[in-house]
Amino acid sequence: MRSLRTWQTEAVRRIEADFNRSADTHLVRVPLPRYDGITLYLKDESSHPTGSLKHRLARSLFLYALCNNWIGPDTCLIEASSGSTAVSEAYFARMLGLRFVAVVPSATAQPKLDAIRFHGGEIHKVDDPRTVYDVAQRLAEETGGHYLDQFTNAERATDWRGNNNIAESIFNQMAEEEYPTPEWIVCGAGTGGTSATLGRFVRYNRRNTRLCVADPVHSVFHQYHRDRRVRSLALGCSSRIEGIGRPRVEPSFIAELVDRMVVVEDHQSIGGMRALSRRLGRNVGGSTGTNIWACAELAREMHEAGKKGSIVTLLCDSGDRYADTYYNDGWLLEAGIDWQGSAQEMEAFLSATM
Ligand SMILES: *Cc1c(COP(=O)(O)O)cnc(C)c1O
């Protein structure tokens, strides 16, 4: 019988080997001819093995749990997630030969459940979406397992000073650009982990870059950022942009690190997503549309103030997962999302010609 320590050593090796086999994600340059001297860059997180920036988070959560001696060869892993986090965690659980259970609201769409199951994850449905956290915690206790708890651990599981985290990777890839220190970095907040890493890294590296979080209109984060009072939204009020915007202020969202928040309507996110997809020649996800909308606002302000420089944002995932929803005109019509006007506006901003 192998010792726990030997198993953990092998588990860490497998995760590090996965990292070692991976190339860094691309930083895509998008010139904006209509905005003289302002260049947009997209950190393309869709190229991770599990297709989104949650691959980084899952890797960090697993290493954090292993190095805290929280998991061993018989630990059942539990997470409250119906989305990309569960997909990436299922991938790492299978790599280590561990059972993984995702606690999801019963209304979760079938393609998402299929993606979790594809990587070997199991599904535990709950009727009331508010109970996912408690149920995940309880399942962990009952099975003697471990609740990965992305919303609590995202900000602390990531090495914020370096280790090629998303921030360090961006700054390394910007090094030879015309304006290597971005004026702004724009991201969304789901757990808040990515914005926390970016905000800490720029301070530690003494950069003047400011951090902007693009937040869907039905999210509590921007309200909390404004007055530090509102901590949750009324039941039923939830973001329609997958991966970002939450009804409660998650513990990993560190408001002090965010210089600015831009509130984005759903039709703007979808219009932005469609226009950017056309400009790039491939489909991006909804939260990337939210990001691009905030970038346009910041670029316009820089342009009006006669400033030059770079703006970096994230391409969080590809449009593949949203073929039945954000890329389905009928679905958008039924959802009451009137996106065409916003798409036209964004196409003008992104235009490749003068
Ligand atoms: C999770 C997620 C985000 C936000 O990242 P956090 O680090 O969790 O705040 C943005 N876009 C997509 C598609 C996501 O899945």
Side-chain angles (χ1 to χ4, degrees):
M1 178 64 192
R2 288 187 308 165
S3 73
L4 173 61
R5 190 65 176 270
T6 309
W7 182 86
Q8 286 169 337
T9 302
E10 168 62 11
V12 172
R13 185 198 66 75
R14 287 188 194 182
I15 294 171
E16 290 294 280
D18 181 74
F19 181 59
N20 206 40
R21 285 191 301 271
S22 301
D24 207 343
T25 60
H26 293 283
L27 188 65
V28 181
R29 185 171 179 271
V30 184
L32 303 171
R34 299 194 175 182
Y35 293 78
D36 184 38
I38 300 176
T39 307
L40 181 70
Y41 297 83
L42 300 169
K43 180 66 169 160
D44 181 6
E45 295 291 290
S46 72
S47 63
H48 287 292
T50 54
S52 81
L53 79 177
K54 290 302 190 311
H55 198 78
R56 290 182 193 273
L57 174 62
R59 180 169 58 221
S60 296
L61 291 171
F62 272 66
L63 287 174
Y64 192 60
L66 281 163
C67 296
N68 277 307
N69 197 17
W70 289 338
I71 59 181
D74 303 314
T75 308
C76 177
L77 298 171
I78 324 277
E79 183 63 284
S81 161
S82 54
S84 305
T85 302
V87 174
S88 299
E89 288 171 340
Y91 169 91
F92 283 101
R94 172 180 269 172
M95 178 186 291
L96 305 188
L98 298 177
R99 200 177 149 204
F100 173 76
V101 181
V103 178
V104 310
S106 49
T108 305
Q110 194 58 40
K112 292 189 176 177
L113 305 182
D114 292 344
I116 297 167
R117 290 201 181 101
F118 175 80
H119 288 289
E122 298 167 40
I123 305 290
H124 182 98
K125 291 185 185 174
V126 297
D127 290 331
D128 182 346
R130 290 171 300 180
T131 63
V132 289
Y133 314 100
D134 290 345
V135 172
Q137 179 72 56
R138 204 194 64 222
L139 274 181
E141 279 157 22
E142 282 171 9
T143 59
H146 172 64
Y147 173 28
L148 288 154
D149 196 358
Q150 57 167 338
F151 293 108
T152 301
N153 291 318
E155 60 88 6
R156 58 195 71 162
T158 303
D159 298 319
W160 52 272
R161 280 179 290 192
N163 206 3
N164 206 43
N165 64 33
I166 192 165
E168 186 172 51
S169 174
I170 287 171
F171 279 93
N172 285 340
Q173 289 175 322
M174 286 296 291
E176 304 297 334
E177 298 307 301
E178 207 176 359
Y179 300 100
T181 296
E183 203 51 37
W184 288 98
I185 297 183
V186 177
C187 69
T191 63
T194 304
S195 60
T197 301
L198 290 164
R200 289 166 177 161
F201 187 89
V202 295
R203 281 169 180 76
Y204 182 61
N205 282 274
R206 290 156 282 156
R207 303 281 193 148
N208 283 326
T209 304
R210 280 171 292 170
L211 176 65
C212 171
V213 167
D215 203 31
V217 60
H218 298 300
S219 168
V220 78
F221 289 135
H222 58 271
Q223 301 187 33
Y224 177 70
H225 185 264
R226 196 166 48 222
D227 56 21
R228 300 291 197 278
R229 275 203 292 272
V230 188
R231 297 202 130 263
S232 62
L233 298 179
L235 178 63
C237 191
S238 69
S239 165
R240 284 197 289 184
I241 307 302
E242 283 187 28
I244 58 169
R246 301 287 305 166
R248 66 163 205 187
V249 179
E250 301 297 348
S252 283
F253 178 71
I254 316 290
E256 290 78 4
L257 293 169
V258 180
D259 295 294
R260 175 160 168 179
M261 297 206 65
V262 171
V263 183
V264 183
E265 301 278 348
D266 293 336
H267 64 86
Q268 295 172 324
S269 292
I270 300 302
M273 175 199 84
R274 292 286 190 109
L276 181 61
S277 297
R278 287 184 65 167
R279 171 65 198 270
L280 297 177
R282 65 196 178 97
N283 290 347
V284 302
S287 71
T288 306
T290 313
N291 287 343
I292 200 71
W293 200 269
C295 291
E297 185 171 314
L298 297 169
R300 212 171 291 126
E301 283 180 16
M302 283 172 66
H303 184 67
E304 279 162 14
K307 273 196 190 167
K308 297 177 193 282
S310 34
I311 300 176
V312 177
T313 193
L314 312 187
L315 196 170
C316 305
D317 63 357
S318 89
D320 297 353
R321 282 181 191 159
Y322 312 104
D324 297 339
T325 54
Y326 306 152
Y327 286 94
N328 177 340
D329 291 354
W331 185 90
L332 289 169
L333 192 66
E334 216 157 280
I337 300 177
D338 188 8
W339 55 277
Q340 280 91 346
S342 303
Q344 273 171 17
E345 205 180 311
M346 186 55 66
E347 270 173 38
F349 167 72
L350 290 170
S351 171
T353 53
M354 281 296 280

